[in-house]
Amino acid sequence: MKRNYYLVALVFLIFFVISLLTNILGPIVPDIIDDFHLTLTAAALLPFSFFLAYGVMSIPTGMLVEAYREKRVILAAFLLAFLGSVTFALTPHYGMAICSLFVIGVGMAALQVAINPLLRVTGGEEHFAFNSATAQLIFGMASFLSPRLYSYLVSSMGGDPGCRNPLISSLSRLVPAGMPWVSIYWIFAAVTFAMVVIIFVSRFPAVERTTDEQAGTWDSHRKLLSKPIVYLYFFSVFTYVGCEQGTSNWISEFLSRYHHYDPHTAGADAVSWFWGLLTAGCFLGMLLLKVFDSRKVLIAFSSAALVCLTAALFGSAPVSRIAFPLMGLAASVMWPIIISLALNSVEELHGSFSGILCTAIVGGAVVPLIIGRLGDWFGLRTGMTFLYLTFGWVLSVGFWARPIIKNKTIS
């Protein structure tokens, strides 16, 4: 079909909103722990509830998209995200946070499944690779900006009431006293409601899914699950997302607890740069993948991640504050390389395999929870040493992967 620039821009906007909502948990963890008087394990149940939705909904959502089409699923996803955001903003307590984050997570999982085929059709197949890279850049920009938005809101509400702009003054009247961080969920409620309106009035084309994009039947999933290689790559995606979320969710709390950095400023800044460098590192990775075998690139970046993890956990305060963001740079190539190695290691049923791999995003729920539990028992620094195991597994992929098709290099 002819390129539809409006819908391409709309898909880019959806990527931005997904990232804005998904990557806010790390900066607000210290506030949640203090205001709700939580243990580290209880705090970790918040990202657990969010990413559990990916594990539960990724495969069923693919089937729903094929049955009800993209517009209805995207509209329902944003309605869920709006309901989750506004209910927590109205009743900010721990139990509601667990439920709300799961509902928001269901919406985000549905959006992730629905929008990639839509981008291919609306932007043109010949432009899909470029548009996908642009979408990931926009996703990363939102991850970089989300902690800064939180920092701005909290800092502005803590300043002189006479100097507040109308937005800050309105939010100050809506949030409970002493909990300015809740204002971020009023912003999310407004953003997701606006997206509901935009999606409702937009016209969507019919999307014919390729074999790789189709969710597949339960029989195709059972056939894949009989292959040992599927389990290896499922666990590889599981551990990578665990690395990503297990790092970002605990950066601010670690810097506050061990180095006494303000989580509203320095902590949020470190999380912001973690995501910013993770995005920037994708460009470096793209260049290196034109020169080197992807497995060698994965080994090099995974080794760098382990070095940065050691510096972050055991270095001085200034070293730790720099090393945590650098872990984002080291992690930048892991997701695309693991996914490409996985899909290039099976000869058929790539759509069903993609659904299984998306289900493995539940690693973002489990690993932060394990870190939190170990942190309650032995201290957060010791808990975060669990990341040596997850990054270590990602490193191992570079040694045992045997793809049918290797990445093409200049040589």
Side-chain angles (χ1 to χ4, degrees):
M1 65 172 289
K2 185 178 179 181
R3 296 180 71 183
N4 188 321
Y5 292 101
Y6 168 76
L7 285 179
V8 170
L10 180 57
V11 173
F12 288 161
L13 179 61
I14 293 172
F15 270 103
F16 185 90
V17 174
I18 292 172
S19 180
L20 195 72
L21 272 66
T22 299
N23 296 315
I24 194 59
L25 287 172
I28 67 175
V29 161
D31 282 323
I32 290 175
I33 291 173
D34 290 341
D35 290 339
F36 294 156
H37 310 291
L38 302 180
T39 63
L40 297 178
T41 303
L45 285 173
L46 296 171
F48 179 87
S49 64
F50 183 90
F51 283 95
L52 179 64
Y54 280 84
V56 172
M57 291 302 298
S58 290
I59 293 176
T61 299
M63 297 178 181
L64 287 173
V65 170
E66 292 181 7
Y68 297 102
R69 314 312 300 172
E70 284 73 14
K71 180 173 180 175
R72 291 179 181 178
V73 172
I74 292 173
L75 188 62
F78 276 119
L79 279 170
L80 287 173
F82 168 73
L83 291 173
S85 299
V86 77
T87 51
F88 178 69
L90 288 169
T91 53
H93 58 78
Y94 178 67
M96 181 58 71
I98 294 289
C99 298
S100 296
L101 284 170
F102 179 78
V103 171
I104 295 172
V106 170
M108 297 302 100
L111 289 173
Q112 294 271 23
V113 172
I115 58 178
N116 278 305
L118 183 63
L119 180 61
R120 175 182 57 80
V121 170
T122 58
E125 290 188 357
E126 69 275 21
H127 303 289
F128 184 48
F130 177 82
N131 287 337
S132 294
T134 304
Q136 290 304 312
L137 176 62
I138 292 171
F139 188 94
M141 289 171 56
S143 299
F144 179 75
L145 293 174
S146 187
R148 295 180 179 275
L149 174 61
Y150 151 81
S151 182
Y152 166 74
L153 291 172
V154 173
S155 300
S156 298
M157 290 186 187
D160 183 359
C163 299
R164 294 172 179 171
N165 60 45
L167 172 63
I168 298 300
S169 297
S170 299
L171 290 172
S172 298
R173 290 191 290 269
L174 291 172
V175 302
M179 299 175 67
W181 58 273
V182 174
S183 61
I184 193 73
Y185 280 92
W186 282 111
I187 298 295
F188 290 166
V191 169
T192 51
F193 181 77
M195 293 302 300
V196 168
V197 174
I198 293 170
I199 298 299
F200 183 77
V201 300
S202 299
R203 296 184 62 183
F204 281 59
V207 176
E208 294 296 330
R209 295 187 160 231
T210 66
T211 302
D212 282 355
E213 292 167 345
Q214 293 172 0
T217 64
W218 292 115
D219 287 339
S220 64
H221 287 88
R222 281 194 291 269
K223 183 176 181 180
L224 282 169
L225 292 174
S226 66
K227 302 177 184 292
I229 193 68
V230 170
Y231 292 94
L232 286 173
Y233 279 111
F234 176 92
F235 191 66
S236 300
V237 172
F238 181 99
T239 52
Y240 164 71
V241 181
C243 291
E244 180 186 280
Q245 296 301 319
T247 303
S248 64
N249 285 341
W250 292 115
I251 288 175
S252 187
E253 179 64 17
F254 184 94
L255 292 176
S256 174
R257 183 166 296 205
Y258 290 102
H259 300 304
H260 311 294
Y261 282 118
D262 185 349
H264 299 150
T265 54
D269 183 69
V271 178
S272 174
W273 278 110
F274 172 87
W275 291 112
L277 290 175
L278 190 147
T279 303
C282 293
F283 295 101
L284 175 60
M286 290 167 64
L287 293 174
L288 292 175
L289 288 172
K290 288 296 183 182
V291 181
F292 301 104
D293 187 295
S294 63
R295 292 168 294 181
K296 294 180 180 178
V297 175
L298 184 62
I299 290 170
F301 275 66
S302 301
S303 300
L306 290 169
V307 172
C308 291
L309 176 62
T310 302
L313 295 184
F314 303 105
S316 63
V319 169
S320 183
R321 187 176 177 181
I322 294 172
F324 272 123
L326 286 176
M327 290 178 67
L329 180 63
S332 59
V333 303
M334 295 179 185
W335 171 268
I337 289 178
I338 292 172
I339 293 296
S340 63
L341 287 173
L343 294 177
N344 285 336
S345 295
V346 297
E347 296 179 340
E348 59 180 349
L349 304 175
H350 293 101
S352 299
F353 193 19
S354 296
I356 292 172
L357 295 176
C358 285
T359 303
I361 293 174
V362 75
V366 176
V367 173
L369 184 62
I370 292 173
I371 292 172
R373 172 56 74 184
L374 292 174
D376 283 331
W377 288 342
F378 308 110
L380 182 57
R381 176 179 278 121
T382 302
M384 292 189 73
T385 61
F386 185 78
L387 292 171
Y388 282 107
L389 297 179
T390 55
F391 276 113
W393 178 270
V394 173
L395 172 65
S396 76
V397 176
F399 293 99
W400 55 256
R402 295 293 183 271
I404 299 170
I405 302 172
K406 298 180 181 180
N407 63 298
K408 185 176 179 60
T409 61
I410 294 172
S411 60

